Amino acid sequence: MDIVTAPAEEVCIVWRIIRKRGVPMRLNSMCIRCLVNSQQRRLLNFEDEDKNTAYMKEITRIIGESDDEASSPYLVYLFNQVYRRYFGEVKDYTAIKKEYNAYVLEMEDALYEEILKAEDPLAKALVYARIGNYIDFGAMQQVEKKVFLELFRDEEKSGLDQGVYETFLRDCENGKRFLLLTDNCGEIVLDKLFLKEFKKRFPHLDICVMVRGEEVLNDATMVDAEETGICDVAKVIHNGNGVAGTMERLLEGEAKEAFGKADIILAKGQANFETLNGCGRNIYYSFLCKCDWFSGRFHVEKNTGMFLREKEIGA
């Protein structure tokens, strides 16, 4: 969730206070402000002020009554249920998803050639898949193809933490089951390229990919998985719900089993970090810092790539 006007230094100060308390943070005052502002923006085209006010009262009530496990993605999931009661269906991202899936598919062959030329093709593929996380119409009000392309050339923002990467490789070498939690449309094409190289390096791993179970923003679903061809590379399942992240307590059946049995989990995107950080599982997070809160927390510029291990965050 984007922070509207908060200076980066303010975000850093808030985060240092939180770290001193030793508490994993899923929701904070700045995210709350962003949530409220984003919901208010949804009402700009509605003229019934009584209805708008009633809606915002329900939204603020949900925030106020949320527990310590609440995260921005989960609260937005609850907001959408309220929104449908007041205003009908939420925004349809079908056209946007088709556009960006097709856009990145057109780049696929050229990008794969670059991956294969690299000294470490797997590392390159992991970086490219992370760059795809820029295609996020939830965290940002505007996605620019020009910026997306520039990220492939911005080496300062595209490195991997070598220590985390080496640990990731060791875990994969010794593990049995690998789960990839996807995030956005378009990005899933680059996830496919990553999996191609990943399978070469670790042919012994049982690989599973999990997409969203319902339409939410421009997040990847089974429709996108089939459209982009990732189903031809690995087994794909859905998480059974419309949260723009992964909440273990909401997983059922095949999704719950895949999550519980995975030795290594690669979670893509800010929303998966927000919903999973603090769970203690062997999760590696790969995302771009697309809002001031994330940039402030990790002391980096916007759109800088992060590759983190759950067990080492905050150490």
Side-chain angles (χ1 to χ4, degrees):
M1 297 299 164
D2 198 11
I3 306 302
V4 179
T5 58
E9 59 268 22
E10 179 183 341
V11 183
C12 292
I13 291 170
V14 173
W15 175 238
R16 283 197 291 271
I17 293 171
I18 291 168
R19 287 190 65 175
K20 284 182 179 179
R21 293 174 181 165
V23 180
M25 200 64 188
R26 296 196 175 176
L27 193 66
N28 55 74
S29 60
M30 304 190 78
C31 287
I32 289 172
R33 184 172 70 182
C34 177
L35 286 168
V36 172
N37 287 343
S38 65
Q39 294 308 303
Q40 195 280 327
R41 285 196 298 271
R42 299 175 89 175
L43 308 182
L44 293 178
N45 294 324
F46 298 113
E47 297 180 357
D48 189 335
E49 186 54 36
D50 288 340
K51 184 183 288 189
N52 292 350
T53 300
Y55 174 75
M56 291 304 298
K57 281 184 176 181
E58 284 208 45
I59 293 306
T60 53
R61 177 184 58 78
I62 290 171
I63 295 172
E65 295 176 356
S66 61
D67 58 28
D68 293 339
E69 293 298 305
S71 62
S72 293
Y74 180 62
L75 291 181
V76 171
Y77 170 70
L78 298 180
F79 296 166
N80 284 340
Q81 296 178 31
V82 178
Y83 183 93
R84 291 185 181 98
R85 280 198 284 109
Y86 279 89
F87 307 106
E89 276 305 313
V90 299
K91 181 176 178 178
D92 185 353
Y93 285 86
T94 300
I96 289 174
K97 293 170 72 177
K98 285 185 175 296
E99 176 188 350
Y100 277 87
N101 284 338
Y103 179 64
V104 184
L105 282 170
E106 289 178 0
M107 303 168 59
E108 179 180 5
D109 290 343
L111 291 175
Y112 196 43
E113 285 183 15
E114 292 299 314
I115 288 170
L116 296 176
K117 290 178 189 175
E119 182 178 344
D120 184 345
L122 180 60
K124 188 84 165 183
L126 185 57
V127 167
Y128 276 11
R130 187 179 60 192
I131 290 171
N133 188 236
Y134 172 77
I135 306 171
D136 187 342
F137 287 82
M140 301 184 296
Q141 294 184 50
Q142 187 173 6
V143 173
E144 300 180 44
K145 291 179 180 178
K146 178 182 177 182
V147 174
F148 175 60
L149 295 176
E150 288 173 350
L151 288 171
F152 288 98
R153 298 187 290 270
D154 194 339
E155 295 184 4
E156 290 187 5
K157 293 184 177 181
S158 62
L160 291 175
D161 183 298
Q162 195 59 33
V164 174
Y165 179 59
E166 290 174 0
T167 304
F168 174 71
L169 296 180
R170 285 197 298 272
D171 281 350
C172 292
E173 187 65 43
N174 297 323
K176 295 181 179 180
R177 297 181 179 87
F178 176 82
L179 177 63
L180 171 63
L181 303 176
T182 66
D183 195 14
N184 302 314
C185 68
E187 178 180 358
I188 197 172
V189 177
L190 301 170
D191 292 336
K192 178 177 69 173
L193 298 184
F194 161 73
L195 287 176
K196 284 185 177 182
E197 289 308 300
F198 188 75
K199 289 174 68 176
K200 292 179 186 177
R201 184 79 67 97
F202 305 108
H204 67 283
L205 280 175
D206 179 6
I207 300 172
C208 183
V209 177
M210 190 183 297
V211 297
R212 307 290 190 249
E214 298 173 7
E215 293 292 337
V216 51
L217 299 168
N218 66 292
D219 289 17
T221 63
M222 287 299 296
V223 172
D224 302 285
E226 293 167 359
E227 193 172 275
T228 58
I230 198 171
C231 296
D232 298 329
V233 178
K235 178 183 178 180
V236 181
I237 62 176
H238 64 77
N239 68 7
N241 61 73
V243 176
T246 304
M247 298 185 65
E248 185 173 4
R249 66 183 175 85
L250 296 184
L251 300 178
E252 297 180 352
E254 192 174 28
K256 183 177 182 179
E257 181 179 4
F259 189 88
K261 290 185 176 181
D263 301 302
I264 312 102
I265 299 173
L266 177 60
K268 300 289 301 297
Q270 290 184 171
N272 276 323
F273 179 86
E274 290 177 90
T275 50
L276 290 170
N277 180 221
C279 71
R281 290 185 175 273
N282 192 29
I283 300 178
Y284 290 83
Y285 299 103
S286 177
F287 57 84
L288 298 185
C289 291
K290 291 165 292 193
C291 73
D292 288 332
W293 170 254
F294 272 83
S295 296
R297 172 171 183 171
F298 297 108
H299 309 287
V300 296
E301 295 180 359
K302 277 191 180 180
N303 294 327
T304 296
M306 306 301 298
F307 187 53
L308 310 166
R309 189 182 186 216
E310 165 73 20
K311 295 181 180 181
E312 297 171 3
I313 295 173

